[in-house]
């Protein structure tokens, strides 16, 4: 008999009873699905072979076989179709059950959550870059061959985006530096460490990373030609308000190099004090007090000193979310087929480090 309620194993999908058990229907496209329905609704089809007297009658099974072949040919010829993972969420399970065999891996999640599209969203860009950086530091050997290929394809798109838009090159430089350092260690220790793939492939990838680093080093910022209102034309209180919105000390220093006025505002002691208080607890910066020549606390030096000992708070425009009711990881905008009565109460934002921890066994 059919399922009468929502299927908790994969909510939102349609299931069909076959001789081998229940199987999930995967609608490839509306056009193909409608064409398949037309074929299956016809019990017999008449095919004209040339002579009116010679007719071949095909049964329903033959029609189903033709429909399947039509779908296969369509996907071979249609490059715009998404052949894999149409949903942008993944069920996180850490053990085998009767319904699910095996467990969810980091590489599988990395492939399923569509990070290629996420990097085009400015709210998610920093989140994806930070996640790639954490994987480069400690989890690179945990990726399967397909996940490794996806990882470097996304990295290639990120580098091209930075080269075209000049968006946050410092963040990408840090990522490539960590990745190149990890690859150098892994390549030198071949045989001692688990490195999936041919060693020559990894050497080529390392050479590509070094080329990217050189390109970013030679990156020249495009000068904006604008005859209208510029940043320098804003009043001082608005410029100061902008500086107080930054959560990264390096961004404040970079902005201070634009004009002498911004440099003066970026050296404000109160600005760096607020930044230290935001990122670190009072007990932490009390242990590392750095007085200036005048006897005051040098909050700017304090910030960079504390950064070496303690992690700073991370801010992202958008993050992945985890549903505690469904155990599903997903982007909040795309949503997921939740079966809870009030889905919003079950959501939990997932930081990049938490994402890595979800798949540690």
């Amino acid at each position: 008999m059919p399922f009468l309620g929502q299927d908790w194993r994969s909510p939102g999908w349609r299931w069909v009873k076959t001789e081998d058990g229940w199987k999930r229907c995967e609608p490839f496209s509306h056009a193909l699905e409608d064409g398949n329905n037309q074929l299956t609704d016809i019990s017999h089809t008449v095919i004209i072979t040339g002579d009116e007297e010679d007719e071949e009658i095909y049964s329903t099974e033959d029609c189903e076989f033709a429909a399947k072949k039509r779908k296969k040919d369509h996907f071979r010829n249609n490059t715009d179709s998404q052949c894999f993972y149409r949903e942008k969420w993944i069920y996180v399970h850490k053990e085998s059950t009767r319904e699910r065999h095996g467990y969810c891996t980091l590489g599988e999640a990395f492939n399923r959550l569509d990070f290629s599209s996420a990097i085009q969203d400015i709210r998610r860009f920093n989140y994806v870059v930070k996640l790639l950086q954490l994987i480069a530091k400690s989890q690179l050997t945990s990726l399967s061959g397909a996940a490794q290929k996806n990882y470097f394809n996304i990295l290639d798109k990120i580098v091209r985006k930075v080269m075209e838009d000049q968006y946050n090159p410092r963040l990408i430089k840090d990522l490539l530096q960590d990745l190149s350092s990890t690859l150098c260690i892994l390549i030198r220790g071949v045989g001692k460490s688990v490195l999936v793939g041919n060693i020559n492939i990894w050497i080529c990838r390392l050479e590509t990373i070094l080329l990217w680093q050189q390109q970013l080093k030679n990156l020249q910022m495009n000068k904006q030609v604008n005859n209208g209102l510029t940043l320098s034309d804003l009043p001082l209180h608005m410029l100061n308000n902008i500086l107080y919105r930054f959560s990264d000390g390096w961004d404040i220093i970079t902005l201070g190099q634009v004009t002498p006025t911004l440099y003066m505002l970026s050296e404000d002691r109160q600005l760096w004090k607020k930044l230290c208080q935001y990122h670190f607890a009072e007990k932490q910066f009390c242990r590392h007090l750095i007085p200036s020549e005048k006897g005051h606390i040098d909050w700017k030096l304090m910030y960079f000193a504390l950064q070496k000992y303690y992690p700073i708070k991370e801010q992202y425009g958008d993050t992945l979310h985890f549903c505690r009711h469904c155990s599903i990881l997903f982007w909040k905008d795309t949503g997921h087929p939740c079966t809870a009565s009030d889905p919003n109460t079950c959501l939990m934002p997932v930081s990049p480090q938490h994402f890595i921890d979800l798949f540690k066994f």
Side-chain angles (χ1 to χ4, degrees):
M1 63 180 292
F3 290 117
L4 299 179
Q6 289 180 311
D7 181 15
W8 62 269
R9 294 175 299 179
S10 186
W13 289 94
R14 292 184 299 169
W15 293 76
V16 176
K17 183 66 176 294
T18 65
E19 295 179 356
D20 299 328
W22 288 93
K23 291 187 177 181
R24 188 175 67 183
C25 291
E26 297 184 0
F28 297 96
S29 65
H30 296 292
L32 289 177
E33 192 173 8
D34 295 339
N36 188 35
N37 291 336
Q38 293 176 2
L39 288 175
T40 54
D41 290 341
I42 302 175
S43 59
H44 293 84
T45 304
V46 180
I47 307 297
I48 305 299
T49 58
D51 298 331
E52 295 183 359
E53 298 180 355
D54 297 333
E55 297 178 350
E56 294 183 8
I57 299 179
Y58 288 86
S59 62
T60 304
E61 294 181 357
D62 296 329
C63 293
E64 291 179 355
F65 175 78
K68 291 180 180 179
K69 187 176 185 303
R70 181 184 173 191
K71 289 180 182 179
K72 186 180 295 185
D73 293 340
H74 172 81
F75 275 99
R76 286 176 178 175
N77 299 327
N78 187 4
T79 57
D80 297 331
S81 303
Q82 289 186 0
C83 299
F84 303 102
Y85 312 130
R86 297 185 60 176
E87 69 275 9
K88 298 180 182 179
W89 50 265
I90 185 170
Y91 179 84
V92 180
H93 54 107
K94 297 187 177 182
E95 58 184 7
S96 297
T97 63
R98 183 178 299 177
E99 292 78 14
R100 292 181 178 272
H101 297 285
Y103 54 87
C104 182
T105 64
L106 174 63
E108 184 181 358
F110 189 79
N111 287 340
R112 290 282 292 273
L113 291 170
D114 194 21
F115 289 114
S116 295
S117 300
I119 62 174
Q120 304 303 327
D121 190 335
I122 194 172
R123 300 171 304 163
R124 301 174 180 174
F125 183 84
N126 290 359
Y127 182 90
V128 176
V129 172
K130 182 63 177 180
L131 180 58
L132 264 62
Q133 188 174 15
L134 291 176
I135 293 176
K137 287 182 178 179
S138 60
Q139 301 296 321
L140 196 61
T141 56
S142 301
L143 299 180
S144 63
Q148 290 173 11
K149 185 177 180 181
N150 193 12
Y151 180 95
F152 283 94
N153 286 339
I154 295 173
L155 187 58
D156 178 52
K157 293 180 180 179
I158 289 175
V159 173
R160 281 191 278 129
K161 179 178 176 61
V162 173
M163 297 296 294
E164 294 172 2
D165 303 340
Q166 288 88 39
Y167 179 75
N168 210 344
R170 178 175 55 82
L171 189 64
I172 313 305
K173 289 178 181 178
D174 294 341
L175 167 60
L176 294 179
Q177 180 61 41
D178 292 336
L179 185 57
S180 61
S181 300
T182 302
L183 284 184
C184 287
I185 295 173
L186 292 175
I187 290 175
R188 291 172 185 170
V190 171
K192 299 179 182 179
S193 60
V194 179
L195 195 61
V196 179
N198 190 290
I199 185 63
N200 295 324
I201 296 177
W202 286 102
I203 293 176
C204 291
R205 287 171 176 169
L206 180 58
E207 292 175 352
T208 303
I209 292 171
L210 297 177
L211 177 62
W212 287 338
Q213 288 179 313
Q214 188 63 37
Q215 291 175 349
L216 291 173
K217 185 178 180 180
N218 300 330
L219 179 63
Q220 298 292 330
M221 295 295 178
N222 297 330
K223 292 184 178 180
Q224 299 292 335
V225 179
N226 190 357
N227 298 325
L229 186 68
T230 63
L231 187 65
S232 302
D233 299 325
L234 296 176
L236 288 178
H237 72 276
M238 293 187 67
L239 293 174
N240 196 45
N241 197 13
I242 291 174
L243 285 168
Y244 271 83
R245 294 294 184 270
F246 284 97
S247 61
D248 192 327
W250 283 109
D251 291 335
I252 295 176
I253 292 177
T254 303
L255 185 59
Q257 296 173 351
V258 176
T259 63
T261 302
L262 286 171
Y263 175 77
M264 177 192 67
L265 294 175
S266 66
E267 293 294 318
D268 182 25
R269 291 180 59 254
Q270 191 65 22
L271 171 64
W272 289 98
K273 180 179 179 180
K274 291 288 185 181
L275 196 63
C276 288
Q277 291 174 342
Y278 172 77
H279 286 289
F280 310 106
E282 185 176 355
K283 293 181 179 180
Q284 293 175 338
F285 57 76
C286 283
R287 298 174 183 174
H288 305 275
L289 292 177
I290 303 177
S292 62
E293 296 178 356
K294 297 181 181 181
H296 302 292
I297 298 176
D298 193 331
W299 291 104
K300 182 178 179 180
L301 292 178
M302 276 278 294
Y303 170 80
F304 290 104
L306 292 171
Q307 198 176 25
K308 298 178 181 179
Y309 298 100
Y310 310 104
I312 62 175
K313 291 183 180 179
E314 298 177 359
Q315 281 188 331
Y316 304 102
D318 191 16
T319 66
L320 288 170
H321 282 69
F322 181 75
C323 179
R324 292 187 293 267
H325 177 77
C326 305
S327 296
I328 287 178
L329 192 64
F330 65 101
W331 292 106
K332 191 174 183 179
D333 288 351
T334 58
H336 75 290
C338 188
T339 58
S341 57
D342 189 2
N344 292 329
T345 60
C346 307
L347 303 186
M348 179 180 63
V350 177
S351 67
Q353 184 59 55
H354 188 195
F355 178 90
I356 301 292
D357 295 338
L358 280 175
F359 301 97
K360 287 183 179 180
F361 305 104

